[in-house]
Coordinates of all heavy atoms in Angstrom, one line a residue:
Chain A
Q36 N -66.8 17.6 54.3 CA -65.9 18.8 53.8 C -65.0 19.3 54.8 O -65.5 19.5 56.0 CB -66.8 19.9 53.2 CG -66.1 21.1 52.6 CD -66.8 22.3 52.3 OE1 -67.5 22.8 53.5 NE2 -67.1 22.7 51.2
Q37 N -63.7 19.4 54.5 CA -62.8 20.0 55.5 C -62.1 21.2 54.8 O -61.3 21.1 53.9 CB -61.8 19.0 55.9 CG -60.8 19.5 57.0 CD -59.9 18.4 57.6 OE1 -59.5 17.6 56.9 NE2 -59.6 18.6 58.9
S38 N -62.4 22.4 55.3 CA -61.7 23.6 54.8 C -61.0 24.2 56.0 O -61.2 23.9 57.1 CB -62.7 24.6 54.2 OG -63.7 24.9 55.3
L39 N -60.0 25.1 55.6 CA -59.2 25.7 56.7 C -60.0 26.5 57.7 O -59.7 26.5 58.9 CB -58.1 26.6 56.1 CG -56.9 25.8 55.4 CD1 -56.0 26.8 54.7 CD2 -56.2 25.1 56.5
D40 N -61.0 27.2 57.2 CA -61.7 28.1 58.1 C -62.9 27.4 58.8 O -63.3 27.8 60.0 CB -62.2 29.3 57.5 CG -63.0 29.0 56.2 OD1 -63.0 27.8 55.7 OD2 -63.7 29.9 55.7
Q41 N -63.4 26.3 58.3 CA -64.6 25.6 58.8 C -64.3 24.3 59.5 O -65.2 23.7 60.1 CB -65.8 25.5 57.8 CG -66.2 26.7 57.1 CD -67.3 27.5 58.0 OE1 -67.8 26.8 58.9 NE2 -67.4 28.7 57.7
G42 N -63.2 23.8 59.4 CA -62.9 22.5 59.9 C -63.7 21.4 59.2 O -64.0 21.6 58.1
L43 N -63.7 20.2 59.8 CA -64.5 19.1 59.2 C -66.0 19.2 59.4 O -66.5 19.3 60.6 CB -64.0 17.9 59.9 CG -63.0 17.0 59.2 CD1 -62.3 16.0 60.2 CD2 -63.6 16.2 58.1
Q44 N -66.7 19.4 58.4 CA -68.2 19.4 58.4 C -68.9 18.3 57.6 O -68.7 18.0 56.4 CB -68.6 20.8 57.9 CG -68.2 21.9 58.6 CD -69.1 23.1 58.3 OE1 -69.2 23.5 57.1 NE2 -69.8 23.7 59.3
F45 N -70.0 17.8 58.3 CA -70.7 16.7 57.7 C -71.6 17.4 56.6 O -72.2 18.4 56.8 CB -71.6 16.1 58.8 CG -72.7 15.1 58.3 CD1 -72.5 13.9 57.8 CD2 -74.0 15.6 58.3 CE1 -73.5 13.1 57.3 CE2 -75.0 14.9 57.8 CZ -74.8 13.6 57.3
L46 N -71.7 16.7 55.5 CA -72.6 17.1 54.4 C -73.8 16.3 54.2 O -75.0 16.9 54.3 CB -71.7 17.2 53.0 CG -70.6 18.1 53.0 CD1 -69.9 17.9 51.7 CD2 -71.0 19.6 53.2
I47 N -73.7 15.0 54.0 CA -74.8 14.2 53.8 C -74.5 12.7 54.0 O -73.3 12.4 54.0 CB -75.3 14.5 52.3 CG1 -76.8 14.1 52.1 CG2 -74.3 13.9 51.4 CD1 -77.5 14.6 50.9
Q48 N -75.6 12.0 54.3 CA -75.5 10.5 54.5 C -76.5 9.8 53.6 O -77.7 10.2 53.5 CB -75.6 10.1 56.0 CG -75.6 8.6 56.2 CD -76.1 8.3 57.6 OE1 -76.7 9.1 58.2 NE2 -76.1 7.0 57.9
Y49 N -76.0 8.7 53.1 CA -77.0 7.9 52.4 C -76.9 6.4 53.0 O -75.8 6.0 53.4 CB -76.6 7.7 50.9 CG -77.0 8.8 50.1 CD1 -76.3 10.0 50.1 CD2 -78.3 8.9 49.4 CE1 -76.8 11.1 49.3 CE2 -78.7 9.9 48.7 CZ -78.0 11.1 48.7 OH -78.5 12.2 48.0
Y50 N -78.0 5.7 53.0 CA -78.1 4.3 53.5 C -78.7 3.6 52.4 O -80.0 3.8 52.2 CB -78.8 4.3 54.7 CG -78.9 2.9 55.3 CD1 -77.8 2.1 55.8 CD2 -80.1 2.3 55.2 CE1 -77.9 0.9 56.3 CE2 -80.3 1.0 55.6 CZ -79.2 0.2 56.1 OH -79.3 -1.0 56.6
N51 N -78.1 2.6 51.8 CA -78.6 1.7 50.8 C -79.5 2.4 49.8 O -80.5 1.9 49.4 CB -79.6 0.7 51.6 CG -79.7 -0.6 50.8 OD1 -78.9 -1.0 50.0 ND2 -80.7 -1.4 51.1
G52 N -78.9 3.5 49.2 CA -79.4 4.2 48.2 C -80.4 5.4 48.6 O -80.8 6.3 47.7
E53 N -80.7 5.5 49.9 CA -81.7 6.5 50.3 C -81.0 7.6 51.2 O -80.1 7.2 51.9 CB -82.9 5.9 51.1 CG -83.6 4.8 50.4 CD -84.6 5.4 49.4 OE1 -85.0 6.7 49.5 OE2 -84.6 4.9 48.2
E54 N -81.4 8.9 50.9 CA -80.7 9.8 51.9 C -81.3 9.6 53.2 O -82.4 9.5 53.5 CB -81.3 11.1 51.3 CG -80.6 12.4 52.1 CD -81.3 13.7 51.7 OE1 -81.0 14.0 50.4 OE2 -81.9 14.5 52.5
R55 N -80.3 9.7 54.2 CA -80.6 9.4 55.5 C -80.5 10.6 56.5 O -81.2 10.8 57.4 CB -79.7 8.3 56.1 CG -80.1 7.9 57.6 CD -80.5 6.5 57.6 NE -80.9 6.1 58.9 CZ -80.2 5.1 59.6 NH1 -79.3 4.5 59.0 NH2 -80.7 4.8 60.8
A56 N -79.5 11.4 56.2 CA -79.3 12.6 57.0 C -78.7 13.6 56.1 O -77.8 13.4 55.4 CB -78.4 12.4 58.2
K57 N -79.0 15.0 56.5 CA -78.4 16.1 55.7 C -77.8 17.1 56.7 O -78.4 17.3 57.7 CB -79.6 16.6 55.0 CG -79.1 17.4 53.7 CD -80.4 17.7 52.8 CE -80.0 18.0 51.5 NZ -81.2 18.2 50.5
G58 N -76.6 17.6 56.3 CA -76.0 18.5 57.3 C -75.9 19.9 56.5 O -76.8 20.3 55.9
N59 N -74.7 20.5 56.6 CA -74.5 21.8 56.1 C -74.1 21.7 54.6 O -73.2 22.3 54.1 CB -73.4 22.6 56.8 CG -73.8 22.7 58.2 OD1 -74.9 23.0 58.5 ND2 -72.8 22.5 59.2
I60 N -75.1 21.2 53.7 CA -74.8 21.0 52.4 C -75.5 22.1 51.6 O -76.7 22.3 51.8 CB -75.1 19.6 51.8 CG1 -74.7 19.4 50.4 CG2 -76.6 19.4 52.1 CD1 -74.7 17.9 49.9
L61 N -74.6 22.8 50.7 CA -75.2 23.9 50.0 C -76.1 23.4 48.9 O -76.1 22.2 48.3 CB -74.0 24.7 49.3 CG -73.0 25.2 50.3 CD1 -71.8 25.8 49.5 CD2 -73.6 26.4 51.0
E62 N -77.0 24.2 48.5 CA -77.9 23.8 47.4 C -77.2 23.6 46.0 O -77.7 22.8 45.2 CB -78.9 24.9 47.2 CG -80.1 25.0 48.3 CD -81.2 25.8 47.9 OE1 -81.4 26.2 46.7 OE2 -82.0 26.1 48.9
R63 N -76.0 24.2 45.9 CA -75.3 23.9 44.7 C -74.6 22.5 44.7 O -74.1 22.1 43.7 CB -74.1 25.0 44.5 CG -74.6 26.4 44.5 CD -73.4 27.3 44.3 NE -72.7 27.5 45.6 CZ -71.5 27.1 45.7 NH1 -70.9 26.4 44.7 NH2 -70.8 27.3 46.8
F64 N -74.6 21.9 45.8 CA -74.1 20.6 46.0 C -75.2 19.4 46.0 O -76.3 19.7 46.6 CB -73.3 20.4 47.2 CG -72.1 21.3 47.3 CD1 -71.8 22.1 46.3 CD2 -71.3 21.2 48.4 CE1 -70.6 22.9 46.5 CE2 -70.2 22.0 48.6 CZ -69.9 22.9 47.6
S65 N -75.0 18.3 45.4 CA -75.9 17.3 45.4 C -75.1 16.0 45.5 O -73.9 15.9 45.1 CB -76.8 17.2 44.3 OG -76.2 17.1 43.1
A66 N -75.8 14.9 45.9 CA -75.1 13.6 45.9 C -76.2 12.5 45.8 O -77.3 12.8 45.7 CB -74.6 13.4 47.5
Q67 N -75.7 11.4 45.5 CA -76.5 10.2 45.3 C -75.7 8.8 45.6 O -74.5 8.9 45.5 CB -77.2 10.1 43.9 CG -76.2 10.2 42.7 CD -77.0 10.1 41.5 OE1 -78.2 9.5 41.4 NE2 -76.5 10.9 40.5
Q68 N -76.5 7.9 46.0 CA -75.8 6.5 46.1 C -76.5 5.5 45.1 O -77.7 5.6 45.1 CB -76.1 6.0 47.5 CG -75.2 4.7 47.8 CD -75.4 4.4 49.2 OE1 -76.4 4.5 50.0 NE2 -74.4 3.5 49.7
F69 N -75.7 5.0 44.4 CA -76.2 4.1 43.3 C -76.4 2.7 43.9 O -76.0 2.3 44.9 CB -75.1 4.1 42.2 CG -75.0 5.4 41.5 CD1 -74.1 6.4 42.1 CD2 -75.6 5.7 40.4 CE1 -74.0 7.6 41.5 CE2 -75.5 6.9 39.9 CZ -74.7 7.9 40.2
P70 N -77.1 1.9 43.0 CA -77.5 0.5 43.4 C -76.2 -0.3 43.8 O -76.4 -1.3 44.6 CB -78.1 -0.2 42.1 CG -78.8 1.1 41.5 CD -77.9 2.2 41.8
D71 N -75.1 -0.1 43.2 CA -73.8 -0.9 43.6 C -73.3 -0.3 44.8 O -72.1 -0.6 45.3 CB -72.8 -0.8 42.4 CG -72.3 0.4 42.0 OD1 -72.7 1.4 42.6 OD2 -71.4 0.6 41.4
L72 N -73.8 0.7 45.4 CA -73.5 1.5 46.7 C -72.3 2.5 46.5 O -72.1 3.2 47.5 CB -73.2 0.4 47.8 CG -74.3 -0.7 48.1 CD1 -73.8 -1.6 49.1 CD2 -75.5 0.2 48.6
H73 N -71.9 2.6 45.4 CA -70.9 3.7 45.3 C -71.7 5.1 45.3 O -72.9 5.0 45.1 CB -70.0 3.6 44.0 CG -70.5 4.2 42.8 ND1 -71.3 3.6 42.0 CD2 -70.3 5.5 42.3 CE1 -71.5 4.5 40.9 NE2 -71.0 5.7 41.2
S74 N -71.0 6.1 45.6 CA -71.6 7.4 45.8 C -70.9 8.5 44.9 O -69.6 8.4 44.8 CB -71.7 7.8 47.2 OG -72.4 9.1 47.4
E75 N -71.6 9.4 44.6 CA -71.0 10.6 43.9 C -71.5 11.9 44.5 O -72.7 12.0 44.9 CB -71.3 10.5 42.4 CG -70.8 9.4 41.7 CD -71.0 9.4 40.2 OE1 -71.8 10.2 39.7 OE2 -70.5 8.6 39.5
L76 N -70.6 12.8 44.7 CA -70.9 14.1 45.2 C -70.8 15.1 44.0 O -69.6 15.3 43.4 CB -70.0 14.5 46.4 CG -70.2 15.9 46.9 CD1 -71.5 16.0 47.6 CD2 -69.1 16.2 48.1
N77 N -71.8 15.8 43.7 CA -71.7 16.8 42.5 C -71.7 18.2 43.1 O -72.5 18.6 43.8 CB -72.9 16.6 41.7 CG -73.0 15.3 41.1 OD1 -72.0 14.8 40.3 ND2 -74.0 14.5 41.4
L78 N -70.7 19.0 42.6 CA -70.5 20.4 43.1 C -70.6 21.2 41.9 O -69.8 21.1 41.0 CB -69.1 20.5 43.8 CG -68.7 19.4 44.8 CD1 -67.2 19.8 45.3 CD2 -69.6 19.4 46.0
S79 N -71.5 22.1 41.9 CA -71.7 23.0 40.8 C -71.5 24.5 41.0 O -71.4 24.8 42.2 CB -73.1 22.7 40.1 OG -74.1 23.1 41.1
S80 N -71.5 25.2 40.1 CA -71.2 26.8 40.2 C -70.2 27.1 41.2 O -70.4 27.8 42.2 CB -72.5 27.3 40.5 OG -73.6 27.2 39.6
L81 N -69.1 26.4 41.0 CA -68.1 26.4 42.0 C -67.5 27.8 42.4 O -67.4 28.7 41.4 CB -66.9 25.5 41.6 CG -67.1 24.0 41.8 CD1 -66.0 23.3 41.0 CD2 -67.3 23.7 43.2
E82 N -67.3 28.0 43.6 CA -66.7 29.3 44.1 C -65.4 29.1 44.8 O -65.0 27.9 45.2 CB -67.7 30.0 45.2 CG -68.9 30.2 44.5 CD -70.0 30.7 45.7 OE1 -69.6 30.8 46.7 OE2 -71.3 30.9 45.3
L83 N -64.7 30.1 44.9 CA -63.3 30.0 45.6 C -63.3 29.3 46.9 O -62.6 28.6 47.3 CB -62.6 31.3 45.7 CG -62.2 32.1 44.4 CD1 -61.7 33.5 44.7 CD2 -61.3 31.2 43.6
G84 N -64.4 29.6 47.7 CA -64.7 29.1 48.9 C -64.9 27.7 49.0 O -64.9 27.0 50.1
D85 N -65.2 27.0 47.9 CA -65.4 25.6 47.9 C -64.1 24.8 47.9 O -64.2 23.6 48.0 CB -66.2 25.2 46.7 CG -67.7 25.9 46.7 OD1 -68.3 26.1 47.6 OD2 -68.2 26.1 45.5
S86 N -63.0 25.5 47.7 CA -61.7 24.7 47.8 C -61.5 24.1 49.1 O -61.7 24.9 50.3 CB -60.7 25.7 47.6 OG -60.6 26.2 46.2
A87 N -61.4 22.8 49.2 CA -61.3 22.1 50.4 C -61.0 20.7 50.1 O -60.8 20.2 49.0 CB -62.8 22.0 51.1
L88 N -60.8 19.9 51.3 CA -60.7 18.5 51.2 C -62.0 17.9 51.3 O -62.7 18.2 52.3 CB -59.7 17.9 52.3 CG -58.3 17.7 52.1 CD1 -57.6 17.4 53.4 CD2 -58.1 16.6 51.1
Y89 N -62.4 16.9 50.5 CA -63.8 16.3 50.6 C -63.5 14.8 51.1 O -62.8 14.1 50.2 CB -64.6 16.4 49.3 CG -65.0 17.9 49.2 CD1 -64.2 18.8 48.5 CD2 -66.2 18.3 49.6 CE1 -64.5 20.2 48.3 CE2 -66.6 19.6 49.4 CZ -65.7 20.6 48.8 OH -66.1 21.8 48.7

Side-chain angles (χ1 to χ4, degrees):
Chain A
Q36 177 195 58
Q37 185 171 33
S38 59
L39 281 175
D40 55 345
Q41 296 284 344
L43 261 163
Q44 287 200 304
F45 168 77
L46 296 178
I47 198 163
Q48 176 195 4
Y49 281 83
Y50 175 77
N51 206 19
E53 300 290 325
E54 183 183 302
R55 182 111 184 245
K57 213 166 189 175
N59 299 320
I60 186 166
L61 300 172
E62 283 192 15
R63 300 183 285 108
F64 296 0
S65 65
Q67 55 182 326
Q68 186 179 27
F69 294 87
D71 67 353
L72 301 177
H73 91 272
S74 178
E75 292 181 357
L76 179 67
N77 300 296
L78 316 176
S79 62
S80 303
L81 285 168
E82 302 175 0
L83 296 177
D85 297 327
S86 295
L88 267 169
Y89 291 84

